[in-house]
Amino acid sequence: MAPVPGSGLAKGLAVTLRTMTKKTVTAQYPDVQPELPPRSRGVIGLFEENCTVCMLCARECPDWCIYIDSHKETVPAAAPGGRERSRNVLDRFAIDFSLCMYCGICIEVCPFDALFWSPEFEYAETDIHELTHERDKLREWMWTVPAPPALDAGAEEPKELAAARKTADKLAAEAEKLAAQAAEAAQAEKLATEATEATEATGTTGATGTTRTTAPDPSEPTGPQDGDA
């Protein structure tokens, strides 16, 4: 069936009329902050403790805007007779947001969850060099990263959370054990001090209230002798 001539124009005018009857709402930014979606891509935060300097984020970045420097350190053996091992220590982690295209590839490829999206977007600068955020600045953005969405009611607990809770419980138990040992040691020291003071007080009283007598010499005669009157 051939379209009726002018039907497209009529539909367009209908949309225009509907829009004209609606009230216009303007967000008065920056006085009124916008309501951003929960997965907004504002800036990237760095959780430095999780970074192993694997360089995957820098290699996969299509803009080459991630700069990483590191050095190796030797870690002593964990047990006697063990072998020393080396580990990478992060010296510099920087992202040039004047080059970043916010594709999120670096966050997706990170195997240890060291990079996160933050919805913060108010970091404009008058100098382009200030858009290169070093690791201290990236660490500050971590405090603005929203919490992950809640799991389903029937979902299993993440293994990372279970491991973290197990470690926390173990550390708490060790702290309680050390506190109990310290309390027992303090109580034992207190009892020992009280016993020492009591012994010293008893010895002083006995020396003051008793008369000392001299034991007789066995070589000297004690009874009457021949020739005594």
Side-chain angles (χ1 to χ4, degrees), residues 36-60:
L36 300 175
R39 298 183 65 183
S40 298
R41 298 184 178 187
V43 71
I44 298 174
L46 170 66
F47 190 55
E48 187 176 337
E49 286 76 4
N50 286 357
C51 182
T52 61
V53 199
C54 64
M55 304 294 290
L56 275 177
C57 56
R59 288 199 297 265
E60 296 296 331

Side-chain angles (χ1 to χ4, degrees), residues 13-34:
L13 292 174
V15 173
T16 302
L17 292 175
R18 285 198 304 268
T19 306
M20 291 175 61
T21 57
K22 293 181 180 180
K23 182 180 179 181
T24 302
V25 178
T26 302
Q28 301 297 330
Y29 177 84
D31 297 331
V32 178
Q33 293 293 325

Side-chain angles (χ1 to χ4, degrees), residues 168-205:
D169 294 341
K170 182 179 179 181
L171 293 176
E174 292 178 355
E176 292 179 358
K177 183 178 179 181
L178 292 176
Q181 292 177 354
E184 292 178 358
Q187 184 67 18
E189 184 179 357
K190 181 179 179 182
L191 293 176
T193 303
E194 292 177 353
T196 303
E197 293 176 353
T199 303
E200 292 177 353
T202 304
T204 304
T205 303

Side-chain angles (χ1 to χ4, degrees), residues 24-217:
T24 302
V25 178
T26 302
Q28 301 297 330
Y29 177 84
D31 297 331
V32 178
Q33 293 293 325
E35 296 182 2
L36 300 175
R39 298 183 65 183
S40 298
R41 298 184 178 187
V43 71
I44 298 174
L46 170 66
F47 190 55
E48 187 176 337
E49 286 76 4
N50 286 357
C51 182
T52 61
V53 199
C54 64
M55 304 294 290
L56 275 177
C57 56
R59 288 199 297 265
E60 296 296 331
C61 178
D63 290 334
W64 292 89
C65 64
I66 300 178
Y67 313 107
I68 300 176
D69 293 330
S70 66
H71 69 278
K72 289 186 177 294
E73 286 186 356
T74 302
V75 180
R83 186 176 61 180
E84 296 181 347
R85 60 187 182 89
S86 62
R87 67 183 182 94
N88 292 323
V89 178
L90 184 65
D91 293 328
R92 185 194 183 201
F93 195 109
I95 299 178
D96 187 354
F97 285 101
S98 66
L99 297 177
C100 179
M101 56 187 264
Y102 302 90
C103 62
I105 292 178
C106 56
I107 298 176
E108 296 295 332
V109 301
C110 180
F112 300 104
D113 291 335
L115 298 174
F116 297 87
W117 276 120
S118 167
E120 295 294 327
F121 62 92
E122 298 177 316
Y123 52 93
E125 301 288 348
T126 57
D127 187 355
I128 194 173
H129 297 93
E130 298 297 330
L131 287 174
T132 300
H133 294 185
E134 299 292 337
R135 64 177 184 176
D136 294 337
K137 184 67 175 179
L138 296 176
R139 179 58 181 266
E140 293 179 5
W141 291 124
M142 272 302 301
W143 308 120
T144 63
V145 174
L151 299 176
D152 295 337
E156 297 182 357
E157 184 181 45
K159 60 181 181 179
E160 295 85 1
L161 184 59
R165 181 176 291 107
K166 183 178 179 181
T167 303
D169 294 341
K170 182 179 179 181
L171 293 176
E174 292 178 355
E176 292 179 358
K177 183 178 179 181
L178 292 176
Q181 292 177 354
E184 292 178 358
Q187 184 67 18
E189 184 179 357
K190 181 179 179 182
L191 293 176
T193 303
E194 292 177 353
T196 303
E197 293 176 353
T199 303
E200 292 177 353
T202 304
T204 304
T205 303
T208 304
T210 58
T211 303
R212 296 181 61 186
T213 58
T214 304
D217 189 350

